[in-house]
Amino acid sequence: MNDALDGDSTVATTPTLAADTSASVFVRSGIDEVSISRLRRLVAEHGSSFRERVFTAAERRYCEGTRYPGQHYAARWAAKEAFLKVLDATAPSFPPPTDRIGVVRTEDGPRLALEDDADVAFAETLAAANASDPGRCDVSVSLTHDREADVAAACVVVVGLTDGGGDGGGDEDGNEDQDQDEDGYEDGERNENGGRVA
């Protein structure tokens, strides 16, 4: 399946950050964990209306096509919450609706696809930090889940360059590892709209 979101969206890619002595590195990170059983109860209680408000069509197709949909929904919910923690909470478009933040599977692992308000909020966050345009940023997403421990977790890390002279905002956290246990290197679902870094 080639569609990550139903409308126009951007998909995270991994650009090369060129050496630029006039710029500082911009790093923002967010992490979240979700109870798999709690999310499974929400899905059971509210059914399709909950899934349609919270998840993209591609996420719903993927999760419903797995043996344990609850853990995959939970990992995606954690990724959405982690991304919201990366954003500037004072941005005019904050918070974007979660169904505009999608996790897509690529041959390089999970990536974010941002649509409408999510894309705008990301651009506003970068502008507030005097950071480079989204096309010069790398967005890493790491997902994991454990049914026995009843937890799913996600980490989102954004690395880019400021437009020179700024402090870059954020902290110096890095992404420890790219977890491949859930969305690693299977199938390679891609967003048909393609585009710049989310």
Side-chain angles (χ1 to χ4, degrees), residues 57-188:
E59 288 174 316
R60 294 190 308 269
R61 279 190 301 275
Y62 169 73
C63 293
E64 292 301 322
T66 65
R67 186 172 177 188
Y68 302 105
Q71 70 187 20
H72 298 280
Y73 277 124
R76 279 150 184 77
W77 179 259
K80 293 167 189 283
E81 290 291 319
F83 177 71
L84 290 173
K85 292 173 181 175
V86 166
L87 297 178
D88 181 347
T90 65
S93 297
F94 184 85
T98 59
D99 69 338
R100 299 294 164 219
I101 305 164
V103 175
V104 296
R105 296 163 32 130
T106 73
E107 61 190 33
D108 295 325
R111 291 289 182 190
L112 291 181
L114 305 179
E115 189 174 302
D116 304 330
D117 290 343
D119 195 27
V120 171
F122 184 58
E124 290 169 351
T125 295
L126 295 177
N130 194 33
S132 58
D133 69 78
R136 293 185 61 207
C137 291
D138 178 41
V139 180
S140 297
V141 182
S142 183
L143 306 173
T144 191
H145 46 70
D146 184 332
R147 279 191 327 277
E148 289 184 29
D150 189 41
V151 68
C155 180
V156 174
V157 178
V158 176
V159 179
L161 299 174
T162 64
D163 292 329
D167 67 2
D171 50 24
E172 296 299 321
D173 290 330
N175 191 3
E176 280 187 22
D177 66 325
Q178 186 71 17
D179 203 336
Q180 298 172 12
D181 71 333
E182 199 233 310
D183 283 337
Y185 298 93
E186 304 171 85
D187 296 341

Side-chain angles (χ1 to χ4, degrees), residues 37-51 55 64 69-70 73-74:
S37 61
R38 180 175 180 271
L39 195 64
R40 194 172 30 234
R41 282 191 306 273
L42 284 170
V43 168
E45 181 179 336
H46 300 286
S48 63
S49 67
F50 173 76
R51 290 189 303 266
F55 298 100
E64 292 301 322
Y73 277 124

Side-chain angles (χ1 to χ4, degrees), residues 36 56 100 152:
I36 295 170
T56 68
R100 299 294 164 219

